[in-house]
Amino acid sequence: MDKVDTNAFLIAAPKSNSGKTMITLGLMQALVNRGLKVQPFKCGPDYIDPMHHTKIAGQPSYNLDMWMTDEDHVQRIFAQHAAKANVSIAEGVMGLFDGAQKDVGSSAAVARLLDLPVILVVDASSTAYSVAPLLYGFKNFDKSINLAGVIFNKVASESHFQFLKEAAIDAGVHVLGYMPRDQRLAIESRHLGLHLPGENQNREIVNVAAELLENHVDIDLLLEITQKEIQPLTNQNIDTKKQFKIALAHDEAFNFSYQANRDVLAELGEVVEFSPLNDEELPEADLLWLPGGYPELFAEQLGNNDKMKQAIAEYIESGKALIAECGGMMYLGKNIITKEGETYSMTGVFDFDTSFENMKLHLGYRDLKGKDISIKGHEFHYSNLIGEEKASADYQAKTARGRDVEMPIFRRKNCWASYMHLYLGKREKMLQMIKELGL
């Protein structure tokens, strides 16, 4: 199969909170406005940024994570979807070289693996010509990384930009333009990241960002320096027989799902979405999946839906398979206690409460091993568990650096629940998990 001519690049930054996400969303919108088909990707384990990508691009955003999976999988995911688009944009994670260990699994590692030009976003709010050595260092530290250009963020004026432009030229880096300071671009943070798509006039904010980037960034030059040939994948011989009926919770409370997981589920079975918030009955299913989300924000509504809570409890007691990740696990406890101290009853399958009082961050990659299972994922939450429920002794979780970490796995018949967001984007990993559930 002939290679496809397209555009592809990775947006990175020297550090977190430089404005990667706003620049990424604005560029996606600007390119969509030009009539181009944009394929989004996200480096790392994040599940919120891809939701924003998908809303803007109209294409599912895929994670490119070299720690939770392997290089071959990342290459295949990228090639499969980038070959169908005019422009592929991968949003980086943290600083360009920040990985699980040194730069392992970092944005730089992804750019190196996929031969993606890097567009660096630099927060220029408190600097001017001093960005020259910064840019020089990022350009020359690792010659295998193609630092194709820079976009400056939070620029005070055209005069300020001239200092920055001279610095970039002296550092040998293409100057693509800048995003000016603008009060309209403020997006409030929530404890797990950006607000979800559709909240707080996010679309209007993204439209503002797109307009500013069209006016202050040379998007034509950006496309000129990010041209890329991509080899489309040959079709794999996959058994397309639908083996299972799968019910996937998806609503405002439960919506953190890796797209690669969804794709594999769709290969293995007939997937039907349902809403624990709004529905009163479960779809017929061999496997029920409760992903993460923000159940604490909808605790009262979830607590009032007695028919759904009873249906899920009865489903588990019948011995059928269920996976609950983070927010899904909270829903299976007795109560959710909000940070204000309000208590709302959940399904009561497990003997614990989830409390947001005295919140503490639990964050990091997780490598989970059991007798017949080895899977990876990500833990990111602020809540704590209170209660008598005993965790399974059959599993041991480790961090990306191989240290033991407490992350309880709860089992009830063929129900499996934990704080872990599972990455099961490879078919063999999903089948391993399904076997663990008795299917």
Side-chain angles (χ1 to χ4, degrees):
M1 191 177 297
D2 293 336
K3 290 184 177 180
V4 174
D5 292 320
T6 183
N7 284 86
F9 55 92
L10 186 149
I11 296 178
K15 62 183 181 65
S16 295
N17 300 316
S18 296
K20 289 191 305 292
T21 297
M22 183 60 71
I23 299 292
T24 299
L25 299 180
L27 281 176
M28 286 180 181
Q29 187 64 62
L31 294 167
V32 167
N33 292 346
R34 290 184 173 205
L36 299 176
K37 182 178 180 181
V38 176
Q39 175 58 56
F41 298 93
K42 173 65 182 179
C43 299
D46 189 277
Y47 14 80
I48 297 178
D49 287 345
M51 295 168 65
H52 292 273
H53 297 173
T54 299
K55 192 79 172 179
I56 293 166
Q59 308 293 329
S61 181
Y62 286 84
N63 292 75
L64 304 173
D65 193 296
M66 293 170 60
W67 191 87
M68 293 195 298
T69 184
D70 55 45
E71 291 185 359
D72 178 70
H73 176 72
V74 170
Q75 289 173 315
R76 294 191 67 84
I77 285 284
F78 181 78
Q80 178 182 354
H81 300 286
K84 303 172 188 175
N86 302 118
V87 185
S88 293
I89 303 178
E91 180 183 351
V93 57
M94 299 188 295
L96 175 58
F97 292 100
D98 296 333
Q101 296 185 50
K102 293 189 176 182
D103 74 340
V104 175
S106 66
S107 303
V110 172
R112 192 182 301 121
L113 176 69
L114 301 177
D115 191 25
L116 289 177
V118 172
I119 306 301
L120 199 68
V121 174
V122 174
D123 181 349
S125 57
S126 301
T127 190
Y129 189 73
S130 290
V131 300
L134 173 77
L135 292 174
Y136 184 85
F138 272 86
K139 181 175 178 61
N140 293 285
F141 174 71
D142 184 342
K143 291 292 189 180
S144 69
I145 302 299
N146 172 19
L147 182 56
V150 60
I151 296 173
F152 294 106
N153 191 30
K154 298 182 181 178
V155 175
S157 64
E158 187 64 32
S159 174
H160 183 199
F161 176 59
Q162 288 306 312
F163 282 99
L164 300 166
K165 184 176 180 180
E166 291 164 359
I169 291 170
D170 288 353
V173 177
H174 276 299
V175 186
L176 296 173
Y178 68 97
M179 176 78 87
R181 291 180 189 170
D182 194 306
Q183 291 301 316
R184 295 174 295 170
L185 296 182
I187 293 184
E188 298 177 19
S189 292
R190 176 171 285 158
H191 52 265
L192 288 187
L194 293 177
H195 285 268
L196 300 183
E199 296 182 22
N200 286 4
Q201 292 83 42
N202 276 3
R203 292 309 300 273
E204 289 85 348
I205 292 171
V206 170
N207 286 334
V208 169
E211 180 183 350
L212 290 171
L213 290 172
E214 277 284 9
N215 292 336
H216 298 284
V217 171
D218 191 340
I219 294 179
D220 292 330
L221 175 60
L222 171 62
L223 294 175
E224 181 182 327
I225 65 176
T226 60
Q227 295 178 16
K228 182 174 175 61
E229 285 188 336
I230 295 176
Q231 181 68 57
L233 294 179
T234 55
N235 291 329
Q236 291 181 296
N237 294 321
I238 295 176
D239 181 8
T240 57
K241 179 182 177 182
K242 303 291 186 180
Q243 302 177 45
F244 309 106
K245 290 185 177 180
I246 301 159
L248 176 65
H250 187 80
D251 57 22
E252 296 93 332
F254 303 101
N255 45 31
F256 294 172
S257 295
Y258 291 124
Q259 184 61 42
N261 287 359
R262 296 175 66 101
D263 288 356
V264 175
L265 287 175
E267 288 177 11
L268 294 173
E270 176 187 346
V271 180
V272 177
E273 293 183 352
F274 74 101
S275 170
L277 275 175
N278 304 308
D279 296 338
E280 294 184 344
E281 296 180 355
L282 285 174
E284 183 182 347
D286 304 302
L287 170 63
L288 183 63
W289 196 305
L290 298 173
Y294 289 127
E296 69 274 18
L297 300 181
F298 302 90
E300 183 175 8
Q301 189 176 345
L302 288 169
N304 289 337
N305 192 346
D306 292 328
K307 289 185 178 180
M308 177 55 72
K309 291 191 297 183
Q310 182 179 352
I312 288 177
E314 290 175 352
Y315 174 94
I316 293 170
E317 286 306 311
S318 73
K320 290 188 175 181
L322 185 147
I323 296 172
E325 307 170 279
C326 200
M329 180 199 70
M330 299 178 198
Y331 183 50
L332 296 184
K334 291 191 301 182
N335 300 289
I336 287 180
I337 304 170
T338 68
K339 62 182 180 180
E340 294 81 18
E342 298 168 330
T343 300
Y344 298 97
S345 66
M346 296 294 118
T347 64
V349 172
F350 293 114
D351 185 18
F352 58 70
D353 295 342
T354 306
S355 175
F356 285 85
E357 296 180 301
N358 304 313
M359 294 193 304
K360 180 183 177 182
L361 176 60
H362 303 262
L363 168 67
Y365 284 121
R366 299 293 179 253
D367 185 0
L368 187 72
K369 288 184 169 54
K371 181 181 177 182
D372 300 309
I373 195 169
S374 175
I375 54 177
K376 290 184 175 181
H378 189 245
E379 183 178 9
F380 193 168
H381 63 92
Y382 284 82
S383 61
N384 298 294
L385 298 180
I386 304 169
E388 301 298 323
E389 188 72 36
K390 292 288 190 292
S392 172
D394 296 335
Y395 306 92
Q396 177 59 56
K398 293 183 181 295
T399 67
R401 289 180 173 268
R403 299 191 185 102
D404 290 345
V405 62
E406 184 179 349
M407 187 190 66
I409 309 296
F410 298 106
R411 296 299 307 263
R412 176 68 54 87
K413 297 191 174 181
N414 289 318
C415 168
W416 194 100
S418 82
Y419 268 122
M420 186 174 176
H421 295 265
L422 309 172
Y423 191 89
L424 302 172
K426 295 185 72 172
R427 185 185 179 95
E428 57 266 33
K429 287 295 182 181
M430 186 68 75
L431 288 172
Q432 189 181 100
M433 187 66 193
I434 286 174
K435 183 179 179 181
E436 184 81 355
L437 300 174
L439 283 175

